[in-house]
Each structure stands twice: as C-alpha cells, then as structure tokens.
C-alpha cells in the first residue's frame, strides 16, 4: 500500500470509528395542548407481608430502640416522604389472598397468629394490621391501595373491610372501628380485587375470574359519599393478552376503574442470576426483559382502546421491577436482593415508558418498597441504605402530575453478542411552566450524544442531575452508604433551542428548568 493511501485509509477508519462511538441522536420534544398528565400514582410503591418488608423493615414495633412513629422507622418515613410517595399497596401480593383483615385489628393479645405459607412459612402475629397501615399512609401523605382477599375470602369479608375503613357511622363495621379507637373513617379509594388469580390467587382462568370479579365489584360500594371507589381488577402477567381481552370484554366499565398488569424483569425463573455479582450476559438479558414493558403496555393498551375507547379504565402496573436470586445466606422465601446500577437502569427506562404511556397508565407500584426485590431502601438493625433505584425515583419526582411532552426519536443501539436493544430512553414533562427531561443510556460501554430540539419550550436556568458509577455492579452497602448518589451534571449546552449533551454509559440524567 502506498504511504498516502495508508494515511487516507487510516483517517477514514478513525473517522468511522469515532462517528460510531459518537453518533449524535436527534430528539424532538413536542408541546401539544392536549397531552395527558403523568399521574403521580405511576410512582407508587408496594409493601407485602413478605420477608423483611413489613416486620424488621418498615415496622420495628413501638418498643424498638430504632426511632419510630407508632412502630414504623422514622428514617424510612422520611425517605419515603422525600420520594413524595403517592400511594402504597398492601398487604400483598400473594399474601393478600390468604389475608383475613379481621385477624389484624383489635388488641394485640387477641390477634391470632398464622403461618405465612407463601413467604418462608414464618409465623405472622398480625401485629401490623389495617390501623397500622392506614395510619402510616396518613403520616406519609400517601394514598393507601388495599388488595382484598378473593382467593380464600368471601364477598362479605371484602365488603365488610370497605365498610370498616370507609363508613363514618351507623353500620356494624363502623361501630367496630370506633371500638378499636378510630373515630374517623380513612376513606380509602384504591381497592384491588384479589391478586394474580391466574396463579397464587387461585389458579383461575380469565373467564372464571371475570365472573367472580363482577360479583365482588358489585358489593364494593364506597360507604362514603365523598369517596369514589377505584376498583382494580387483577390483570395479566406480561404478554397474556388473552387475559386482558377477556376482562375488558366481560367486565362493564361501570364495575371497573382499573385493570392491573404485572411484569418482572427476570432472566429465567429457574435461574434468576445474582443480584450484584452479575455478568454482562445477565445485564443484557435483564434489560431485554425490562424493555419488554414497552411492548406489553402498547399491546394491552390497544386491547383496552378497543373495549374502552373513552379511556375510562386505567392500566395499573401494580408489580414491576428486577427479580434475582436471593443474597447468599438469606431465607429463599424472603426475596432479599442487593440493588445496583442495573436496577437504576431498569427504574429509569421503565419510568420513561410509563410516562410516555400516561394516556392509559394511571398507576404503577414498584416491587417492593423495603428489603424485598427491587427495593428503594434496605435496612440492617439501626442502619438504612437508599438504593440506586431510590435515587432514580427521587430524581423523577419532577414528573409527578406534570403534563407529558411527547418525544420523537430513534434510539441508537446497545449491541451485545450480536443482539441489540434501544440504548437511550427519554421522557419529558412540564409543570407550572417548568420543563423536566429524563434521559437514560443503558449501554454498558458506549456513551451516547444527544441533541434535543426543544422547539418553543422555555428552558431558562436549566440544571441537571446525574446518577452514574464506574461499574454496573456498583451499589450502596451498610459500610459505604453513599457509594452511589446523584451528582450535579453540568456538561450540557443550550444553543438556539437545541440542548446538547453526552450521556455516559449506564447513567440517568434529569434536566429541569427554573
Ligand atoms: O412481589 C412478590 C410476588 O410476586 C407477589 O406476592 C406476587 O403477586 C408476585 O408473583
């Protein structure tokens, strides 16, 4: 090869290499007047009687040396308040269909103990019951979301629970509540009718559950003239479109305000892989599962649109998140796992998907709040750590009840072993004139340059926060609680309505205007 040819080829090679690494993605953000509002309830949480979620998690008991309010740890209360937790789902999960609410009211010494057969066969002494939960929600400023027992309960038991918590006075259950020390009703709006009836909730088929649902829903009257019931049917898992079709077809809209969807990011139910010592194979497989949420929501929404063109029924993704093998030495029935930058990627990308589908997605509940699955907080004795997932959820609070700004773009690929996933995800919103944009780059190695066309949006005084780290496996520990925390991000430019920045590998950036 002649010397000057060599120079030209080397130059071209270098040029293609650099442009492959730095190809810029153009994102345009629209500002339509009729865009939906991103319901704050998309940022909801879930606490089940499972492992150390309630006991030795949220609830340490009034006599604990750990500072607490009515037995609930103060550090957690503060952390959840800082997240502006909009709602909390309880008591399950699979546990809900074994739970008899009357076991958890009245004097402690009269409360029966049961065995929590779903989760580790541990003894449940019912010391955390309806009053504890609903009072906690009041302290948190969160709306309670109660899941009633359909699998092993009765219509009467369920409607009595509604009467107990919602009726002011004059009914047997209101009287009982007052005898138990609570004069005022709590006025609970969100009610789940069973949980996963296709599995732990009773192994039913969709047609059977649809009939049962109608029977239950008929008797779930609010008992309070100011509380509109929001009844949520137990919906499909992942891509079970038949389940959705049957529910939407068979249940009239006047009996159902919401329908649930459960979707976990699990590589393989029989070998879920480690929570923190994972490989890139595991990471890519987890993200493949997490990003399926886009397809699930799109397809379930299409079915809902067919039967509910007026968009009255909300899609409620009341269980989502990463699910791995439990940490070594912990009870397999307790589902305790560490939370790394991989989980931050799941959270950031999934919340962007929910935001962008806020026309139909009204609520979602991360599984679970504390010490279980993709938790926002982990506790050990007096200590508590906030996970990368917590930080993402906190960074995204800017989207709560903000108006969606639809985005338009083609994501660059994250390619691994010959397979590709969209690397970048974005959602944007506006509230009180302030613009917020959340960007995620899930690529494990490649940074991605983006140029956002902001049109006529006013982005005066924009500031940004980033969550990033050196390794995907990085996480906070009880020894190093601040290993991963959000930091200020200054590396962006705004010129003539265009915002330019480079998103480092596996990081989340949230920009907001003044
Ligand atoms: O969140 C853990 C379990 O996962 C829930 O109890 C159940 O609903 C789901 O299968």
């Amino acid at each position: 090869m002649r010397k000057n040819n060599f120079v030209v080829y080397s130059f071209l090679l270098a040029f293609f290499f650099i442009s492959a690494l730095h190809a810029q993605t153009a994102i345009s953000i629209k500002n339509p007047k009729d865009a939906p509002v991103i319901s704050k309830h998309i940022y909801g949480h879930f606490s089940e009687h499972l492992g150390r979620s309630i006991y030795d998690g949220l609830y340490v008991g009034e006599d604990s040396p750990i500072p607490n309010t009515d037995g609930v740890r103060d550090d957690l209360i503060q952390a959840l308040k800082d997240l502006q937790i909009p709602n909390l789902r309880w008591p399950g999960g699979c546990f809900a269909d074994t739970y008899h609410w009357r076991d958890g009211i009245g004097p402690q010494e009269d409360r029966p103990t049961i065995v929590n057969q779903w989760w580790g066969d541990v003894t449940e002494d019912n010391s955390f019951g309806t009053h504890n939960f609903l009072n906690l929600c009041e302290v948190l400023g969160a709306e309670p979301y109660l899941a009633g027992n359909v699998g092993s309960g009765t219509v009467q038991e369920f409607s009595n629970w509604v009467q107990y918590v919602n009726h002011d006075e004059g009914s047997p259950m209101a009287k009982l509540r007052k005898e138990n020390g609570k004069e005022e009703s709590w006025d609970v709006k969100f009610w789940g009718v069973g949980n996963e009836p296709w599995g732990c909730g009773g192994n039913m088929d969709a047609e059977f559950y649809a009939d049962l649902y109608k029977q239950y829903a008929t008797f779930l009257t609010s008992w309070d003239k100011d509380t509109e019931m929001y009844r949520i049917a137990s919906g499909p898992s992942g891509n079970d479109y038949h389940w959705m079709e049957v529910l939407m077809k068979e249940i009239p809209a006047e009996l159902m305000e919401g329908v649930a969807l459960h979707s976990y990011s699990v590589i393989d139910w029989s070998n879920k892989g480690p929570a923190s010592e994972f490989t890139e194979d595991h990471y890519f497989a987890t993200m493949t599962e997490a990003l399926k949420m886009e397809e699930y929501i799109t397809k379930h929404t299409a079915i809902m649109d067919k039967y509910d063109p007026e968009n009255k029924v909300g899609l409620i993704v009341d269980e989502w998140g990463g699910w791995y093998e439990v940490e070594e030495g912990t009870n397999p029935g307790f589902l305790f796992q560490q939370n790394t930058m991989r989980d931050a990627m799941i959270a950031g990308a999934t919340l962007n998907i929910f935001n962008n589908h806020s026309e139909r997605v009204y609520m979602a509940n991360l599984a679970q709040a504390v010490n279980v699955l993709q938790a926002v907080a982990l506790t050990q004795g007096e200590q508590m750590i906030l996970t990368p997932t917590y930080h993402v959820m906190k960074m995204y609070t800017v989207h709560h009840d903000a108006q969606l700004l639809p985005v338009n773009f083609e994501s660059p690929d994250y390619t691994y072993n010959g397979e590709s996933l969209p690397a970048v995800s974005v959602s944007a919103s506006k509230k009180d004139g302030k613009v917020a944009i959340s960007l995620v780059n899930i690529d494990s190695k490649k940074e991605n340059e983006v140029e956002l066309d902001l049109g006529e949006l006013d982005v005066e005084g924009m500031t940004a926060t980033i969550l990033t780290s050196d390794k995907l496996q990085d996480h906070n520990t009880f020894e190093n609680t601040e290993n991963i925390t959000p930091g200020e991000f200054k590396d962006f430019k705004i010129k003539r309505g265009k915002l330019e920045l480079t998103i480092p590998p596996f990081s989340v950036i949230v920009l907001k205007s003044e």
Side-chain angles (χ1 to χ4, degrees), residues 2-71:
R2 293 236 312 268
K3 195 178 162 208
N4 41 2
N5 272 358
F6 176 77
V7 172
V8 172
Y9 285 131
S10 313
F11 176 78
L12 283 174
L13 210 65
F15 174 77
F16 285 125
F17 184 68
I18 289 166
S19 30
L21 274 181
H22 292 285
Q24 200 178 48
T25 301
I27 303 174
S28 76
I29 302 187
K30 304 263 166 344
N31 188 13
K33 291 209 168 47
D34 56 352
V37 165
I38 300 171
S39 157
K40 66 176 178 184
H41 289 296
I42 283 175
Y43 292 82
H45 291 270
F46 168 37
S47 254
E48 180 168 8
H49 285 236
L50 190 180
R52 295 174 50 247
S53 167
I54 300 289
Y55 303 110
D56 195 25
L58 271 171
Y59 187 71
V60 288
E62 286 168 38
D63 300 331
S64 169
I66 299 170
N68 66 81
T69 301
D70 298 330

Side-chain angles (χ1 to χ4, degrees), residues 32 64 139 164 210 229 305 308 328 344 358 376 466:
S64 169
V139 170
Y164 186 85
M229 291 289 275
D305 287 349
D308 174 35
E328 221 176 290
S358 51
V376 291
I466 185 166

Side-chain angles (χ1 to χ4, degrees), residues 46 48 50 93-94 119 195-196 262 264 319 323 368 373:
F46 168 37
E48 180 168 8
L50 190 180
C94 294
W119 307 117
N195 172 75
E196 298 191 351
H262 287 184
Y264 285 100
E319 289 187 29
W323 190 327
Q368 298 195 6
L373 300 177

